[in-house]
Amino acid sequence: MNKRITLLRQKIAGGAQHEGNGKFNAAARSRLLAASVACLVLGSWAALGADGIAPVAPGASDSLVILPSYNPDTPPDLLDGTLSGIGDEEENDEPKSGFLRFQDPLQPWLEFKQNVLQQDYGFSIGGSEGILAQDFSNSLTNNHDAVGQKFTLNVGQQILFRGTPDVMTIEAVIEDRGPVGTEFPPLQGGLRTGSSTATASTWGDFNLGVTQLYVRQDLLNHHFQYTFGKIFAPNYVNPYPLFDDNRQYLNQMYTTSVTIPVPLRGFGAVAALYPTNMGFYAKAGVYTVYSDDVGFTADSFFNRPQYFRHLELGWSGLAGTGTPIQGRGPMDANNLSITLWSKDANFDTGEGKSRGIAFNGNYQFRPDMMAFLRGGWSEGWQLDRSLNAGWGWRPFQQYSDLAGVAAGWAEPANHALRDQYVAEGFYRFQLTSQIALTPDLQWILHPTLNPNVGSLWVGSLRARITF
């Protein structure tokens, strides 16, 4: 059984790799959890306000899209998705409306951040606290439920050329993740079902610490963008608009490419280039394979020459068109791209060399709807091939609510194991600008590492408050 769990963990790629075993001080974690629960309770209570349950009128825009902020004079920003520090914070602070929409008690704080800290001093700050509960119909280790918390604090400072298009910014992300009242957090609990793809990609367990710290800058009117430092590599490798498991799908099948063993948090550099105004672009990156959740890893990058490299070539339908960018992560609404990648051996884990190719196509066929088709092939990694497709819908009058349905397939490199199929659906209720509640249901047919069951179900409930 232990060998099976070890093999199962080794099969997790990208955003669903094991996120550390460090245990936060129990008293400190208890205080953090108490504060988080208090924030959720007080935020929910204040959202009702003295006026009772008074829904706020939805926005009056006639062109509502998943992320309604795009400058038609510049290409879309490929390096600032919601899993980066400031990309996450900008999405947190966007005006929102939903089907179950209540008054927002934190609006004065949001206005102070945007109108004073950001505009006057070039400083941004904010964060979130999330709680995810999952229930599994079957488990290899008799763990049928898992609850986890995820704390995130984003800070950024414009350090050069503030107020110009060439502004240089330094950004940091501080995080803590771990189980709440259960033996395992959702990442490890989900892997113990026998699924070859994690049921909650980044809801793992590691100590409070700095998980991202990097410098970024746009040059030549956004035709050239770069970032370097400690970065979250899945934010840049074959992403697409619905890959953020804080806000959207949970299963790894839809939060990253399961055929790419991308490192997680480590020192690296990425650059994107738009050579023309026709929408074509190239994006490339290199990262140390020795990622560490809360360590800096710059020494590994320069002293241990084992790297993950990728090159993405694509076409963005939004470059210079005036269509609002539809973004969850560093991709846009109408995108076709291929990603070539290679990974050197990791001598700490014993992983060998691997390489592969992945593709992405996503298209926003209505202002409130988007479809996607994604797949990949690898050589030397645990999952050989994958293909998945899905759909996202944002109601016109409740433009911060979000629904999604998707289905996918993954083939293991060991052909003695079964191919796995995953279907998932969710609906995110944006209760206030800062509070969201998301029920989610996954059906896993032929779980690769659990041959004793034909299928299993995973029911999830995710709550998230931003500040």
Side-chain angles (χ1 to χ4, degrees):
M1 183 66 68
N2 290 333
K3 290 179 64 177
R4 177 175 291 179
I5 295 301
T6 300
L7 175 62
L8 185 151
R9 287 178 173 174
Q10 292 173 347
K11 292 178 70 65
I12 301 306
Q17 289 175 324
H18 183 57
E19 293 196 320
N21 289 311
K23 296 296 182 182
F24 192 36
N25 176 272
R29 173 158 279 167
S30 298
R31 290 193 296 269
L32 175 62
L33 177 59
S36 303
V37 172
C39 286
L40 286 168
V41 172
L42 290 174
S44 301
W45 174 82
L48 297 180
D51 297 328
I53 305 176
V56 176
S61 172
D62 293 328
S63 180
L64 303 179
V65 293
I66 289 183
L67 185 60
S69 56
Y70 178 69
N71 184 342
D73 297 326
T74 63
D77 188 345
L78 295 179
L79 301 185
D80 218 2
T82 58
L83 296 185
S84 70
I86 300 306
D88 183 49
E89 187 53 37
E90 288 175 348
E91 164 57 18
N92 289 346
D93 293 345
E94 283 279 347
K96 295 180 177 68
S97 179
F99 181 70
L100 297 174
R101 181 72 163 89
F102 305 112
Q103 292 179 337
D104 195 342
L106 296 181
Q107 192 60 36
W109 164 241
L110 298 180
E111 293 175 354
F112 173 75
K113 289 197 301 178
Q114 295 171 340
N115 299 334
V116 178
L117 297 181
Q118 180 68 27
Q119 293 185 14
D120 295 347
Y121 300 100
F123 179 74
S124 59
I125 185 171
S128 64
E129 174 67 29
I131 300 290
L132 173 65
Q134 291 196 314
D135 184 78
F136 316 111
S137 65
N138 195 278
S139 172
L140 293 170
T141 57
N142 202 33
N143 296 102
H144 291 276
D145 56 78
V147 181
Q149 66 85 26
K150 182 188 290 189
F151 168 79
T152 303
L153 178 66
N154 305 305
V155 293
Q157 177 65 55
Q158 298 176 3
I159 56 177
L160 290 175
F161 313 118
R162 186 159 62 91
T164 74
D166 298 337
V167 60
M168 178 184 288
T169 304
I170 184 170
E171 303 170 2
V173 181
I174 300 168
E175 297 183 88
D176 176 80
R177 303 180 186 183
V180 178
T182 57
E183 184 177 0
F184 301 107
L187 172 58
Q188 280 79 40
L191 295 180
R192 284 165 171 77
T193 64
S195 171
S196 62
T197 61
T199 62
S201 300
T202 66
W203 292 77
D205 186 7
F206 56 75
N207 293 341
L208 182 70
V210 178
T211 57
Q212 298 181 58
L213 179 62
Y214 54 89
V215 171
R216 68 180 307 270
Q217 187 178 23
D218 295 354
L219 297 171
L220 305 175
N221 195 26
H222 295 279
H223 282 276
F224 180 73
Q225 307 159 357
Y226 72 88
T227 183
F228 68 89
K230 183 179 183 181
I231 53 183
F232 186 64
N235 203 29
Y236 310 102
V237 181
N238 189 233
Y240 79 114
L242 297 172
F243 80 141
D244 183 354
D245 71 346
N246 294 325
R247 298 171 170 90
Q248 299 145 355
Y249 292 103
L250 285 168
N251 195 285
Q252 183 197 359
M253 183 73 74
Y254 314 111
T255 60
T256 185
S257 176
V258 296
T259 60
I260 304 179
V262 60
L264 293 182
R265 303 167 185 88
F267 198 92
V270 193
L273 174 68
Y274 283 91
T276 71
N277 291 323
M278 302 298 293
F280 296 103
Y281 68 89
K283 182 175 65 175
V286 58
Y287 321 84
T288 177
V289 301
Y290 302 107
S291 64
D292 189 303
D293 293 326
V294 295
F296 190 53
T297 70
D299 56 339
S300 295
F301 184 89
F302 292 105
N303 298 324
R304 306 180 71 183
Q306 287 80 46
Y307 302 108
F308 179 94
R309 307 170 184 87
H310 69 100
L311 172 64
E312 180 178 302
L313 302 173
W315 174 81
S316 165
L318 294 180
T321 64
T323 304
I325 186 172
Q326 197 278 19
R328 293 287 179 187
M331 277 292 171
D332 51 87
N334 303 312
N335 181 277
L336 295 173
S337 62
I338 59 171
T339 299
L340 307 172
W341 63 269
S342 67
K343 184 177 183 179
D344 294 334
N346 185 323
F347 298 121
D348 288 352
T349 64
E351 296 174 9
K353 293 183 178 181
S354 56
R355 61 178 181 172
I357 185 171
F359 73 88
N360 174 77
N362 55 266
Y363 178 65
Q364 185 174 323
F365 55 91
R366 277 181 22 178
D368 63 331
M369 290 187 184
M370 191 201 73
F372 64 87
L373 177 66
R374 294 164 51 79
W377 165 88
S378 70
E379 182 180 88
W381 183 235
Q382 302 288 352
L383 292 174
D384 266 357
R385 294 171 178 81
S386 70
L387 183 68
N388 62 81
W391 166 86
W393 171 59
R394 202 182 274 283
F396 276 109
Q397 294 302 311
Q398 289 80 39
Y399 61 87
S400 295
D401 283 11
L402 182 66
V405 176
W409 156 80
E411 178 186 67
N414 183 349
H415 292 166
L417 300 175
R418 299 186 298 183
D419 292 5
Q420 179 173 297
Y421 304 85
V422 179
E424 181 175 359
F426 71 90
Y427 190 98
R428 188 185 70 212
F429 295 93
Q430 192 72 44
L431 303 181
T432 77
S433 290
Q434 272 59 61
I435 301 175
L437 191 66
T438 308
D440 179 283
L441 185 64
Q442 302 174 39
W443 181 52
I444 300 174
L445 178 65
H446 300 161
T448 295
L449 296 175
N450 192 348
N452 296 321
V453 299
S455 66
L456 60 91
W457 293 88
V458 182
S460 305
L461 184 63
R462 178 181 60 204
R464 186 169 183 263
I465 182 170
T466 62
F467 52 87

